[in-house]
Each structure stands twice: as structure tokens, then as C-alpha cells.
Amino acid sequence: MVSTAQETATPESAPDVPVRPVTSYRTDLVTVLLGTWFTVGLMVDAWAHNNVPQLETFFTPWHAVFYWGFLVTAACVLWTCRAAFRGGRLPDFRAMPAGYPAAVVALGTFAVSGFLDFVWHTLFGIEQNTDILFSPSHLGLVTSMIVIVTTPLRTAWARRDAAPVTGLRALLPAVLSMALAATLVLLFLQYANALVFRPGSIVAALTDADEYHTSNVVTSILVTNLVLIVPLLTLAKRWVLPVGSATVLYAIIGGLCAAIADFRNLEIVWGLLVAGVLLDLVALWLQPSAARPGRLRAYAVLAGLLTWSVYLATAVLAGPSVESVGTAAPQFVPEVYTGVPVVQALLGLVLAAVMVPGAAPLRGPDPAA
């Protein structure tokens, strides 16, 4: 549904300029739930590419879930924008609710990319390794998907309500939308996804057994930390960060990582959920927002520190003993397992400082007064 309510025009706006319609909360929630179906379909397809041998056809049950999710989501978006298609002419993007014009364009991009994906698989076969993440048709699909699933986030961002919107329930479509986008980004960065490692592999990286493996794991932690922290800081830049956002984000990303790893990394996923709950407790305490840049930076520091401290602790508790890792009596490297969370905390601080530089400077006396 599109609400009949309209945004208040500013005094400077011309009276003949159409005012965009406003989507209702129910419309945004339905859109993001359908986007969740859409995204889960891609997760299932990613699981199949990683775990089903000799996958040599485009027509699979996993593709069916994925593309049906697209069709239903597309129908919802187009129905919401139906007023823009009246008259038999080109769509009037000004008649679409805020956030929806980009989604309509992305629907066309996705359809073209889907056809190209069929052609690509027909000519070159089905990918099952890292090359799947660099297929041009797949990159077109995931880019347009991110635009589509973030529609509720854009609509919420564009609203300028008289009373500030706060709380997870009021902002749930926006939070879910952001979580889906982060999940899609991490899916196509899975060659640097620290959450798919099993505890034993992480424990091995904390030792001096294999320097290359240690570098691979800590680099993956840095990339994954970016994907986890940027969405939370983005939400806090527009609103007071809703308590529950970290748990929602971490739960959805954890589901992706479990599917990719064929559910062999569940200890790490559970640890991620624990970290999400801890971060929500921190958000309840600090209430980070752009209006409080100091608290926002403190939250970013604690996000990196807590998430990866819990990650490493989970691996050590659930993984094998150090003596069983490798063949040359490896030893724990204290600089690694103590320094990694600190580095991620510093990265969070840098991100917060860049995304929200600080409060507006104080104005001095007006010289003309």
C-alpha cells in the first residue's frame, strides 16, 4: 500500500511540483520480507554451488527458489509504483514513493542479468569455486539485488517526520534491509569471510604453524569486520541506533555463513550471535547516534573489540588443543590472539570518525550584529 498522506511541502517549493507519495509501514515490511525470501534463495543457491558436486544445469530447485523470490518481490515493487505507469507512457519516476525509482531500474537490471546468467552457464558451465564470485552476470545480479532489498531503507531514510522515529519495531524494515544488503556484500567477499572458518582452522591461525594461513585468517577478519561495522554505523548516522540491530544483522549474516560452510561452523555462528547480543547491550547503554559522535565512536571501538574477542574465544573453546594443530609442536602467538581484536577496534574508530566526523562547529558572534 501507498499511504495517501503526503509530505509537507516547504514554503519555497512551487505549488505545481508533485509531492511524492509515502509508503506505509506495512508496505515497507512486506517489501523487506519478500526481499528476505529473495536473499534466502540466493543463500540456498550459494550452498548448492559450494556443496553439490557436478552441478551442471541452470534449472535447479535452488534457482527456482531464488528466481521466484525475485518475481514476487518485483510484483510487490511494481504494484507499489503502479500510479507511475498509468497513461501508457514511460513511467513517471516523480510519482513513485521515495526510494522506489532506483528499485524499478534495478528490477530491469536484474532481469537482464538473469538472462545473461542463463547464457553464461549455457556457454561456460556452472561455477563451483571462487570464480563464481567474479562472473559478470552474477555481479550484475547481486548489485541489482542490493538496490532492490535496500528500498525500505531508502524510504525510511527519506522521511522527515515531526517526531523522531526510534526503536527496533519502528525501524525494523530499515534494519532488515540493511542486514540483507550486508549479507549480499559478504556473500561476494566470501574468499575473505572470516566467519566460514571452523574453530580448528582459527586455532591453527593463532599459532606459528603456518604463517600464510595466519595472514589469510587475520586479513579475512579485517574485511569481515568492515562488513559488520559499516551497516551499524550507517544506521546510527541517521537514527539513534535501535537496540536489537546488531543481533538482527549478525543473525542474518550468520545464516549465510552457516549455509556456505554446510553448517560445519555452527560454533562460530553461535559466537557471532552472542557478540550481537553484547553489542545491543552496549547500544542500550551508549545510545550512539550522529548527534553524539563521542558515543558513536566508543560504540564502534567496542563493536570491533567485543565481536572479535568473542570470535577468538569461541574458536579456542570449541576447537582442538594447540598440540593437535600441525606437525611441528606449534605454539600460540600471543601477539595474534590479543592484538587482532585491538586492530579491529581501531578500525572501528577510524570508520566512525570518517562516517560521522563530529558535531557541527559552534557558531561565533555574528559580525554584522
Side-chain angles (χ1 to χ4, degrees):
M1 290 179 59
V2 177
S3 172
T4 56
Q6 294 187 338
E7 296 175 353
T8 304
T10 60
E12 295 81 6
S13 61
D16 59 341
V17 175
V19 180
R20 285 191 181 276
V22 179
T23 52
S24 66
Y25 178 87
R26 185 174 68 175
T27 297
D28 291 343
L29 187 59
V30 169
T31 301
V32 79
L33 290 177
L34 292 177
T36 302
W37 173 5
F38 192 17
T39 306
V40 168
L42 186 58
M43 289 185 192
V44 173
D45 188 51
W47 171 86
H49 279 282
N50 280 281
N51 298 286
V52 178
Q54 299 178 345
L55 188 62
E56 293 295 339
T57 177
F58 179 84
F59 299 99
T60 66
W62 307 285
H63 270 177
V65 174
F66 177 45
Y67 283 104
W68 269 109
F70 163 70
L71 290 174
V72 176
T73 304
C76 177
V77 170
L78 293 176
W79 175 258
T80 303
C81 299
R82 62 192 180 278
F85 294 91
R86 292 171 181 167
R89 300 178 180 178
L90 293 175
D92 181 4
F93 288 99
R94 295 172 301 174
M96 297 179 186
Y100 277 80
V104 171
V105 173
L107 291 177
T109 304
F110 184 93
V112 171
S113 299
F115 174 75
L116 293 178
D117 192 42
F118 169 74
V119 174
W120 187 275
H121 288 324
T122 302
L123 294 176
F124 301 108
I126 306 296
E127 306 93 337
Q128 287 187 303
N129 298 303
T130 305
D131 50 354
I132 190 176
L133 305 174
F134 297 97
S135 165
S137 59
H138 289 171
L139 293 174
L141 289 170
V142 75
T143 301
S144 53
M145 276 188 75
I146 291 173
V147 176
I148 293 167
V149 301
T150 52
T151 301
L153 175 65
R154 292 193 300 275
T155 61
W157 198 286
R159 289 194 181 98
R160 291 294 184 267
D161 301 312
V165 179
T166 59
L168 182 62
R169 183 186 179 281
L171 294 171
L172 185 59
V175 172
L176 286 173
S177 184
M178 179 63 81
L180 294 178
T183 300
L184 292 172
V185 170
L186 190 58
L187 174 62
F188 272 71
L189 292 175
Q190 63 176 285
Y191 46 83
N193 181 358
L195 302 174
V196 299
F197 291 114
R198 300 176 68 178
S201 182
I202 299 168
V203 169
L206 300 176
T207 72
D208 59 1
D210 185 343
E211 182 68 23
Y212 177 80
H213 178 60
T214 300
S215 299
N216 183 36
V217 171
V218 298
T219 302
S220 297
I221 287 174
L222 186 146
V223 173
T224 307
N225 190 43
L226 284 171
V227 178
L228 295 178
I229 291 182
V230 168
L232 295 173
L233 295 182
T234 301
L235 292 170
K237 184 176 181 178
R238 174 64 177 83
W239 301 281
V240 175
L241 184 65
V243 176
S245 300
T247 301
V248 170
L249 175 70
Y250 284 16
I252 293 177
I253 287 181
L256 161 72
C257 298
I260 291 174
D262 199 23
F263 303 98
R264 293 189 295 265
N265 64 332
L266 289 180
E267 300 93 342
I268 299 303
V269 172
W270 284 114
L272 182 67
L273 290 176
V274 170
V277 173
L278 291 176
L279 289 186
D280 282 325
L281 293 176
V282 172
L284 181 64
W285 169 44
L286 291 176
Q287 296 187 338
S289 68
R292 299 168 172 173
R295 296 190 180 194
L296 182 61
R297 292 171 187 175
Y299 178 82
V301 168
L302 291 173
L305 188 66
L306 289 175
T307 298
W308 299 105
S309 294
V310 172
Y311 173 86
L312 295 180
T314 301
V316 171
L317 293 174
S321 62
V322 177
E323 290 75 13
S324 62
V325 176
T327 58
Q331 299 294 321
F332 261 128
V333 180
E335 292 83 358
V336 175
Y337 65 82
T338 57
V340 164
V342 175
V343 170
Q344 307 318 311
L346 294 175
L347 178 60
L349 177 61
V350 171
L351 287 172
V354 170
M355 294 179 66
V356 184
L362 296 176
R363 291 183 178 273
D366 187 351

